[in-house]
Amino acid sequence: MKVLKIQWKVFEHVTELFILVPALLGLKGNLDMCLASRLSTQANLGNMVGVGEITHMVLGNIALVQVQATVAAFLVSLFAIGVGAAINGLFLIDHALLLTASAMFTANLSCFVLDFVIVAVILLSNRLKLNPDNLATPMAASIGDMNRYTRPVLKSGWIPVLSALFISSLGGLVLNAAVGMFSGFVVFQPIINGIGGNLVSVQASKLSTMLHQSTTFGTVPSFTKIFEKPWKALFKGAPSAKTSRILILMSIPGQVLFIFLADLIHMSESTIGAPFVFSYLLASLIQVMLLLYIAHVIIHAMWKWKIDPDSAAIPYLTALGDLFGTSLLLVAFIFIEAVGHPYDYPIANYVHNFF
């Protein structure tokens, strides 16, 4: 309990952390999942053979992620400092130093550790003849030694990462507002965003690999198109619809399990009733379907415009997942409050009202 109180004391005194945290979590996920997607594609294309080639590929990609993490974490901390100063009408140098140092340290250390885990999973799955797109991407997420696999990303990979930071920061602004309005909002926000981001990252990685394997760069395959009808892209018709269906169905039991566990841990008892479950699941399903359809559109569009989706698509998708998830969850909380069943509504009241 003492640790929990210390953590919340920091958030109470340095409110800019509510803006920084979603963007920082999104940054880590973006960089790691892009790494997983790039290496998974190379594994599926049969390029990860030979110790020397694998070593250069792995070290180059990890070095790239460290460079991106350093620069992006510094920029997102500046954004949080600027927005916080504008909202509060006050600039505190100790808060600014805390935000900058914690952002850069967290981004570099977490990416460095997780990158080696991702590489190990990809190498092991490749050795066992398993598809790394299904295993490595969900976990995710020296310049002079850059090789041909990472040099183009170092030059062109900044726009997606920095744009994603801006989008995630908008989600941080929504979170900052929601925390003051609803008790328990921060308990469920990481769940809806994390699950949605992981699911769409799997789809993005698989779509990118499919394009690399089936057609030449810049040419959309004849069996699909950029703007498919949502039903065809998500449920039946497009080649990726089968995976989309599975991911949508997987999201339902996963979301239910985690919200009940989170509620039990947070409240020390079960307090979730039917109105909350319904509104939360509706919000999460809308988020996942939006993300999966947007993934279909932007990945095929990037391929058409000769932009490698392995390095460019996932940052946009996970950042949009943060923004959509936080915004839709806020709508869900507003709804259950409006119908008289807020999150902390005692479970005994549901039984009493039913009978």
Side-chain angles (χ1 to χ4, degrees):
M1 288 300 293
K2 290 182 179 179
V3 175
L4 183 60
K5 289 180 180 178
I6 291 172
Q7 289 175 339
W8 279 111
K9 187 176 181 180
V10 171
F11 279 85
E12 289 172 0
H13 286 81
V14 189
T15 56
E16 295 92 337
L17 285 169
F18 283 113
I19 302 171
L20 177 66
V21 168
L24 197 60
L25 290 175
L27 167 67
K28 182 182 71 65
N30 289 338
L31 297 180
D32 291 332
M33 285 187 285
C34 283
L35 169 71
S37 184
R38 287 195 300 270
L39 293 181
S40 296
T41 296
Q42 295 301 323
N44 284 320
L45 292 176
N47 293 331
M48 296 189 74
V49 291
V51 176
E53 188 72 5
I54 292 175
T55 301
H56 279 286
M57 193 182 301
V58 168
L59 292 180
N61 272 280
I62 291 178
L64 168 66
V65 171
Q66 290 299 301
V67 173
Q68 290 178 319
T70 302
V71 176
F74 176 71
L75 293 177
V76 77
S77 67
L78 293 183
F79 178 83
I81 293 167
V83 172
I87 293 175
N88 301 324
L90 181 66
F91 173 78
L92 297 173
I93 186 64
D94 54 338
H95 286 193
L97 293 174
L98 172 65
L99 290 169
T100 303
S102 58
M104 296 181 69
F105 177 79
T106 302
N108 279 277
L109 183 61
S110 59
C111 285
F112 185 77
V113 173
L114 188 56
D115 287 349
F116 280 99
V117 177
I118 290 172
V119 168
V121 171
I122 290 173
L123 293 176
L124 181 62
S125 59
N126 190 46
R127 189 178 187 87
L128 296 176
K129 306 300 182 182
L130 300 174
N131 188 351
D133 281 327
N134 297 329
L135 300 174
T137 306
M139 296 182 56
S142 102
I143 297 178
D145 194 36
M146 289 291 172
N147 52 63
R148 65 182 182 274
Y149 297 104
T150 57
R151 192 179 295 111
V153 182
L154 184 61
K155 296 178 181 178
S156 61
W158 291 104
I159 293 178
V161 171
L162 297 180
S163 299
L165 285 179
F166 175 74
I167 297 171
S168 292
S169 297
L170 295 179
L173 293 176
V174 177
L175 174 62
N176 192 39
V179 166
M181 297 169 58
F182 298 107
S183 171
F185 188 90
V186 293
V187 176
F188 302 101
Q189 185 256 0
I191 299 174
I192 191 171
N193 290 354
I195 293 179
N198 284 339
L199 293 177
V200 76
S201 296
V202 171
Q203 179 75 333
S205 186
K206 292 176 76 69
L207 278 173
S208 182
T209 298
M210 181 269 292
L211 289 172
H212 276 282
Q213 291 177 328
S214 62
T215 186
T216 57
F217 206 32
T219 303
V220 177
S222 58
F223 49 78
T224 189
K225 54 185 178 181
I226 296 175
F227 292 100
E228 289 280 12
K229 294 179 180 179
W231 177 264
K232 291 184 66 176
L234 298 179
F235 297 103
K236 189 174 182 180
S240 59
K242 180 180 179 180
T243 304
S244 294
R245 276 199 317 271
I246 294 172
L247 293 174
I248 292 170
L249 291 174
M250 283 176 58
S251 72
I252 298 173
Q255 295 280 12
V256 171
L257 173 63
F258 280 109
I259 63 173
F260 274 99
L261 285 176
D263 173 59
L264 187 61
I265 293 170
H266 178 63
M267 300 292 287
S268 299
E269 61 177 338
S270 180
T271 65
I272 292 179
F276 181 87
V277 174
F278 170 78
S279 58
Y280 179 92
L281 281 181
L282 182 61
S284 66
L285 284 172
I286 293 173
Q287 177 215 29
V288 169
M289 288 190 286
L290 276 173
L291 290 176
L292 291 174
Y293 184 73
I294 293 172
H296 178 94
V297 173
I298 69 169
I299 288 173
H300 287 88
M302 286 177 176
W303 188 262
K304 176 69 175 179
W305 299 333
K306 296 186 177 181
I307 301 172
D308 189 358
D310 271 328
S311 299
I314 288 178
Y316 288 114
L317 293 170
T318 53
L320 287 173
D322 291 343
L323 180 58
F324 292 162
T326 305
S327 302
L328 288 167
L329 184 61
L330 177 58
V331 173
F333 267 75
I334 293 173
F335 170 76
I336 59 175
E337 177 118 334
V339 298
H341 294 277
Y343 163 61
D344 54 359
Y345 191 72
I347 197 70
N349 287 3
Y350 290 105
V351 179
H352 175 75
N353 293 339
F354 181 78
F355 291 103

